[in-house]
Structure formats: C-alpha cells, structure tokens
Amino acid sequence: MAVLELTSLEKSLGLRTGHKYSAQGDRDTIPVLQSNDGASLVGLATIAAHLVKQAKKEQLLGSSAEEKAVVHQWLEYRVTRLDRPSSKEEIRLMLKDLNQYLEDKVFFVGIHFTLADILMYYGLHPIIADLSIQEKEKYENISRWFCHIQHYPGIRQHLPAVVFIKNRLYTNVH
C-alpha cells in the first residue's frame, strides 16, 4: 500500500515517476526507495519528505519551525497509529480524537495544506470508505476535511471517490 501511495505522491508533486521502490519488514509494510547513487531511504515519512524536497515544494513540509514540527508529528502519527492493525474500537476512538482535533481546523496543520494532509488522507481512505453515511455524519469534521482533500487536484488519483451525502433524503415533515 505504501509503495502505491508514494507513486501517487510523486505524480501529485509533478515528479516523473521512475523511482525504484521495494518493501521490507514483517508483511513487507515498510517502503524502501533505492536511489541512483546506491543509497536507500527507508520509511514512508522519510521517503515522502525526500520527494517533496526533490520536487522543490518545501512549503508542504511547513513554513515555520513550529509548522514543520506539527507536520512531522502527523507523519509520525500516520506511521505509528494509523498504519497499525487496529480493532474496530481503536479505530472508533482514533476517529473520535481526529474529529475533535479537526473541529477548528481546515487542515491538519492549521490553514495550510501540507504533506500531513496528503499522507493522512491516503491512510484514512480505506477507513472512511468503509463507514456508513450515518457514521460519516457522526465524524463531521473528519468528513469535511476528507471530502475537501479528495477534491484537491492530483491527490485522489487511483483511489475511488468517497461519497458524502449532505442533503437529507427524508424529513419528518409530512
């Protein structure tokens, strides 16, 4: 999954694809980028940050020291919490926490679209896609953020669009 995400990230950054990726670790979940000089980079967050720098789009990593730290925090969250196999209860608690966090934010790092939004979107996609319409309404802040991100040019790519119903089909009025 991470290799596909990195390939999508390359395209959204405008990089020509051609990087050689492999995977390592238990269940081959840790991506590895083999560079042209023989060195390799390991890990989703490390490779993604490298691709952003290679594309000369450092603003996606944050503009201030604080923003850079918050972007890094969310990249770490993605790898340590979101990518771990979880029970339904752990997923529900995580969605509740994320929903609360996004209550007064447009993006994960305040008002700026960053790499954190891209990788959190990719990581949350299978979870959000499996939610019922009622569950999506329950997590309204995540749903708002997710719907916004999936319509960013070049971000969704290979992933199917997730449907969010905004108008009630039935009312109590007769």
Side-chain angles (χ1 to χ4, degrees), residues 2 8 11 20-21 23 28 31 35 44 53 59 66 68 70 83-84 91 99 109 113 132-133 136 145 147 156 164:
S8 295
K11 289 177 188 173
K20 292 181 175 66
Y21 296 104
D28 288 333
S35 66
L44 179 65
K53 289 175 185 174
Q59 72 275 11
E66 183 179 344
K68 288 176 185 182
V70 175
D83 290 350
R84 301 285 182 230
I91 290 171
N99 192 63
V109 183
F113 177 75
S132 68
I133 295 297
K136 290 175 193 165
W145 168 84
C147 189
R156 186 168 43 88
F164 296 87

Side-chain angles (χ1 to χ4, degrees), residues 45 61 67-78 109 116:
L61 298 174
E67 280 185 3
K68 288 176 185 182
V70 175
V71 169
H72 185 73
Q73 166 191 309
W74 285 110
L75 297 180
E76 189 173 327
Y77 181 95
R78 161 64 202 274
V109 183

Side-chain angles (χ1 to χ4, degrees), residues 4-37:
L4 190 55
E5 290 178 35
L6 290 169
T7 303
S8 295
L9 179 61
E10 281 183 351
K11 289 177 188 173
S12 71
L13 293 171
L15 293 171
R16 54 180 186 84
T17 56
H19 286 103
K20 292 181 175 66
Y21 296 104
S22 61
Q24 69 181 25
D26 58 334
R27 296 174 299 180
D28 288 333
T29 55
I30 303 169
V32 178
L33 169 65
Q34 190 65 42
S35 66
N36 294 332
D37 65 3

